[in-house]
Amino acid sequence: MSGRVVFPNKLLPYLLLAPQLAITAVFFYWPASQALKQSMQREDPFGLQTTFVGLANFRRVLADPNYLNSVKVTAVFSLSTAFLALALALPLAVMAEKVVRGKGIYRTLLIWPYAVAPAIAGMLWLFLFNPAMGTFSYLLRANGVAWDPLLKDGQAMGLVVAAAAWKQISYNFLFFVAGLQAIPRSLIEAAAIDGASGPKRFWTIVFPLLAPTTFFLLVVNTVYAFFDTFGVIHAVTQGGPGKATETLVYKVYNDGFVNLQLGSSAAQSVILMGVVILLTAIQFRYVERKVHYG
Amino acid sequence: MAEVDLKAVRKRYPNGMEAVKGVSIAIPDKALCVLVGPSGCGKSTLLRMVAGLETISEGEISIEGRVVNQVSPTDRDIAMVFQNYALYPHMKVYDNMAYGLRNRGTPKAEIDRRVREAAATLELGHLLDRRPRELSGGQRQRVAMGRAIVRQPKVFLFDEPLSNLDAKLRGQMRVEIKRLQRELGVTSLYVTHDQLEAMTLADLLVVMNAGEVEQAGDPLEIYEKPASIFVAGFIGAPPMNLIDPASAELSGPIPAGAAKLGFRPEDAILDGFASEGGLKIRAILDGVEPVGAESYLHAHAPAGGARMIVRTAGRARMEPGTELEIRAPAEKLHWFDAAGRRI
Ligand SMILES: Nc1ncnc2c1ncn2[C@@H]1O[C@H](COP(=O)(O)OP(=O)(O)O)[C@@H](O)[C@H]1O
Ligand SMILES: [Mg+2]
């Protein structure tokens, strides 16, 4: 048995694949090739003339202090988001394991936020923390916190990180729950008999055994924070104040569609494409054949 | 003096399943008690209650005279060998064995001494730096044993520790476990569904059926005088032959209330002489099962159709369909009443 399906018609398999291939071609390969082309061109202010400039756009982008700032912002934003989303999801999953009654309801409720679109999640957090009308802003200020994410870099960053992480908690929760369920109960029992207290069992047995799941989630969350948080940032801060929350993806949009520097924007997106390819490779290499215990 | 005492212990699972229905066992200090019974009869449940991994619904369990019903597994000073070994997959063999000692704050030098000593006893010395996944089944089993013995606990608990090994290794480990248990003198409770394992290991054999103790005592005594049809059928391989007394010719008196008559395959005689008060029954040979030093003859009685097995020495050359006359001496007959109890 080779498990292989043989089609009677030679054409049929291609026909079945065609829609997916067409979508990939139209929405990925074509724009990607356009970006590649544009990244090596300069356009005059009126869009009448384009000149081939080779790698000049790349050189300019990489020398631009604003771009380097954005790299830093992205690193801070992504790592904070990933860390926060993981750090909150893990205890929730551990507690969900302990719930006896209403396990299903508890889990379902925790998974819901994942269904919320990033922009909506952003709006939600924006309203809650809006300095003018947000409920939490009111509470914070009533407690003596000078809350103004529209002016303060750190607070703005905190807000987008919270909004971005909030959504991802559900996803991580789901994987942690599955990861926890995959740990044989007898291991925990053996550890209990071996004299390990609850917290000790968690840190010496459960947590190390979750390492593959955690690593997988770290990669996925980082990729998410890198590329999928445009909606959140757009809704909450639009990259501001100043450029305090302008991530690389947001900068591509800002430079290209707001400031109309198409060459620079295209060069940036080509760089990002490289980063995506790299991260995907890491994901496949280390996550697909993740650390297996057995 | 680590005797283990179970008094009218019951277990009702949250789903209403009553897995253990009032079991009382007294395991003397240093003894190896084997719980044997078919799958699902509540052996593991009982063992896990002694370990503290399941709550005790009713009754009392005490270790060394102290009631442990409310004591957590961490504080019961027991060690357990799990059926799947439950080795910590992310730790090396050394750390697997040292884990329990570290948790109890044993000094480092002492841990090292004890781990190496246990490793030497179990011939694990060269494997200390491996992880469990790099070990064979038999080696994993030894590590699980090692993890239990380094702790020097009051009680050893074993839940079918050999059932994942092949037959040969199982035989070796059986002897090994018995030897270790003797040497260390640790009171042990051992669960198995394998009656051979149970017979060879036990100082005290407890036969369980459907959550209850059918019979407890010395293994050979149980073999000689099974208290019920269930025990008669479960202990001994091949199992005891059970026939309807009416279908046989009996030259002695039938005890009052007798509903079943049993005799062991090795007590059956094919062409011997009928002894006083013995049994004689006609049977048709269905087939011969040669196992080397002996052969098992499978037969059935034309009257009533009861199946029987006769053990004969050497190789029996007989054709299926042969008519046999099976006899058994009076002192080797076991009588059971309608409820299956021994008379
Ligand atoms: N956690 C549980 N919840 C409900 N029923 C259980 C549970 N564990 C075991 N049982 C039931 O209790 C009975 C005894 O199980 P067990 O002690 O594992 O038997 P054994 O070890 O003798 O094979 C079985 O019928 C089993 O289905
Ligand atoms: Mg069992």
Side-chain angles (χ1 to χ4, degrees):
Chain A
M1 273 298 292
S2 66
R4 221 184 215 195
V5 180
V6 179
F7 285 96
N9 188 327
K10 285 258 184 298
L11 210 59
L12 185 61
Y14 297 99
L15 226 57
L16 291 173
L17 279 176
Q20 182 60 48
L21 289 176
I23 286 172
T24 313
V26 171
F27 291 102
F28 179 71
Y29 285 108
W30 185 65
S33 66
Q34 286 293 305
L36 209 57
K37 197 176 95 195
Q38 267 183 3
S39 70
M40 295 194 249
Q41 288 176 340
R42 180 172 299 154
E43 208 160 339
D44 72 27
F46 307 103
L48 300 173
Q49 225 180 350
T50 51
T51 9
F52 180 80
V53 294
L55 295 176
N57 285 328
F58 288 94
R59 247 174 268 134
R60 242 205 356 242
V61 162
L62 291 175
D64 181 1
N66 279 336
Y67 188 77
L68 299 180
N69 174 60
S70 180
V71 169
K72 213 176 75 194
V73 166
T74 309
V76 170
F77 172 75
S78 301
L79 290 179
S80 311
T81 302
F83 180 78
L84 188 67
L86 287 171
L88 292 177
L90 182 56
L92 285 172
V94 170
M95 285 187 276
E97 273 293 277
K98 299 210 169 101
V99 173
V100 181
R101 219 173 295 180
K103 212 172 200 163
I105 297 173
Y106 187 76
R107 279 191 195 159
T108 312
L109 287 177
L110 273 163
I111 290 160
W112 269 358
Y114 194 60
V116 177
I120 309 285
M123 289 311 286
L124 202 74
W125 282 78
L126 184 61
F127 281 133
L128 287 175
F129 286 94
N130 182 300
M133 58 183 181
T135 320
F136 282 95
S137 306
Y138 177 77
L139 286 174
L140 281 170
R141 269 202 301 271
N143 284 300
V145 180
W147 177 254
D148 196 350
L150 295 188
L151 294 176
K152 296 195 164 129
D153 294 6
Q155 293 182 353
M157 177 59 93
L159 193 53
V160 281
V161 165
W166 175 73
K167 233 187 77 60
Q168 202 61 9
I169 288 173
S170 303
Y171 182 86
N172 297 346
F173 169 79
L174 212 60
F175 274 85
F176 275 135
V177 164
L180 285 169
Q181 279 174 346
I183 297 177
R185 224 174 67 144
S186 58
L187 287 185
I188 315 291
E189 292 173 346
I193 289 175
D194 263 343
S197 63
K200 188 146 202 183
R201 286 201 289 275
F202 180 79
W203 289 114
T204 56
I205 307 290
V206 177
F207 191 68
L209 291 179
L210 276 180
T213 309
T214 310
F215 181 70
F216 164 79
L217 287 175
L218 189 66
V219 174
V220 169
N221 281 273
T222 309
V223 171
Y224 158 82
F226 249 71
F227 302 107
D228 275 355
T229 46
F230 176 86
V232 173
I233 292 172
H234 193 56
V236 179
T237 62
Q238 272 134 40
K243 296 194 174 301
T245 57
E246 192 180 62
T247 59
L248 288 170
V249 170
Y250 202 78
K251 190 167 164 57
V252 170
Y253 161 81
N254 237 355
D255 288 356
F257 294 88
V258 180
N259 302 332
L260 293 176
Q261 297 170 355
L262 293 184
S264 164
S265 172
Q268 289 177 36
S269 56
V270 169
I271 293 173
L272 276 178
M273 209 152 32
V275 175
V276 177
I277 290 169
L278 189 75
L279 280 172
T280 312
I282 291 179
Q283 188 166 339
F284 277 152
R285 194 170 159 73
Y286 293 102
V287 178
E288 293 295 299
R289 52 174 191 102
K290 57 188 164 185
V291 200
H292 270 301
Y293 296 119
Chain B
M1 292 298 282
E3 60 282 310
V4 177
D5 232 336
L6 284 75
K7 287 204 190 86
V9 172
R10 279 177 188 276
K11 176 67 188 184
R12 221 168 286 109
Y13 278 111
N15 65 359
M17 170 79 201
E18 192 167 34
V20 175
K21 303 166 185 167
V23 166
S24 300
I25 305 170
I27 310 172
D29 186 37
K30 297 188 171 51
L32 173 54
C33 170
V34 177
L35 284 179
V36 70
S39 182
C41 73
K43 309 178 297 287
S44 294
T45 304
L46 198 58
L47 189 82
R48 292 167 57 80
M49 282 195 280
V50 177
L53 300 173
E54 298 286 351
T55 56
I56 299 162
S57 308
E58 261 177 60
E60 215 173 76
I61 294 180
S62 46
I63 297 173
E64 218 174 23
R66 176 175 75 134
V67 176
V68 293
N69 283 35
Q70 303 301 328
V71 178
S72 82
T74 311
D75 301 323
R76 285 192 188 190
D77 201 6
I78 45 147
M80 182 158 165
V81 178
F82 291 77
Q83 182 167 7
N84 63 0
Y85 315 138
L87 300 179
Y88 310 123
H90 57 298
M91 294 185 198
K92 292 182 172 162
V93 168
Y94 185 97
D95 299 309
N96 261 282
M97 297 212 269
Y99 185 71
L101 295 172
R102 287 191 185 129
N103 287 333
R104 288 179 163 80
T106 315
K108 232 180 158 108
E110 169 78 2
I111 294 179
D112 194 59
R113 191 184 60 75
R114 284 214 228 162
V115 169
R116 292 193 189 281
E117 197 179 288
T121 313
L122 290 160
E123 293 164 34
L124 288 170
H126 58 298
L127 301 173
L128 288 174
D129 278 332
R130 299 236 190 128
R131 281 177 212 280
R133 68 165 176 279
E134 299 159 343
L135 301 178
S136 71
Q139 290 168 335
R140 286 180 203 189
Q141 212 286 328
R142 283 167 178 276
V143 176
M145 291 285 301
R147 190 170 66 180
I149 66 176
V150 289
R151 289 254 322 279
Q152 305 180 348
K154 285 201 191 102
V155 181
F156 282 144
L157 303 173
F158 300 88
D159 193 352
E160 314 224 5
L162 306 182
S163 61
N164 290 333
L165 301 181
D166 60 58
K168 187 168 166 222
L169 212 49
R170 206 181 308 150
Q172 285 171 8
M173 280 312 290
R174 206 164 61 208
V175 177
E176 181 95 9
I177 287 180
K178 180 93 178 171
R179 180 179 68 80
L180 273 174
Q181 197 270 339
R182 274 284 136 74
E183 268 175 32
L184 301 169
V186 177
T187 314
S188 306
L189 185 55
Y190 187 109
V191 159
T192 180
H193 66 266
D194 179 342
Q195 61 90 27
L196 177 66
E197 216 169 287
M199 288 293 293
T200 50
L201 281 175
D203 297 319
L204 170 63
L205 181 61
V206 177
V207 185
M208 282 185 70
N209 182 24
E212 283 174 295
V213 172
E214 283 273 334
Q215 190 173 7
D218 176 72
L220 286 176
E221 221 159 87
I222 292 179
Y223 187 81
E224 304 282 343
K225 287 193 165 58
S228 65
I229 289 187
F230 175 83
V231 177
F234 197 81
I235 299 294
M240 183 182 282
N241 298 310
L242 289 162
I243 58 169
D244 188 349
S247 68
E249 249 178 75
L250 289 152
S251 59
I254 299 179
K260 278 277 179 203
L261 167 58
F263 60 98
R264 295 217 176 260
E266 66 269 29
D267 294 331
I269 311 159
L270 269 189
D271 34 31
F273 33 85
S275 70
E276 199 56 32
L279 151 148
K280 188 168 89 182
I281 184 168
R282 291 194 171 287
I284 312 290
L285 184 67
D286 294 322
V288 180
E289 208 180 20
V291 291
E294 57 203 32
S295 304
Y296 300 122
L297 311 182
H298 293 253
H300 72 272
R307 308 207 154 269
M308 286 168 279
I309 301 173
V310 176
R311 201 185 93 173
T312 63
R315 252 161 272 181
R317 291 187 209 284
M318 274 185 266
E319 286 305 310
T322 312
E323 200 166 307
L324 305 174
E325 204 173 74
I326 299 172
R327 293 160 201 267
E331 67 276 13
K332 299 290 188 188
L333 299 184
H334 306 260
W335 295 94
F336 301 98
D337 64 16
R341 295 271 124 204
R342 183 182 191 87
I343 298 174

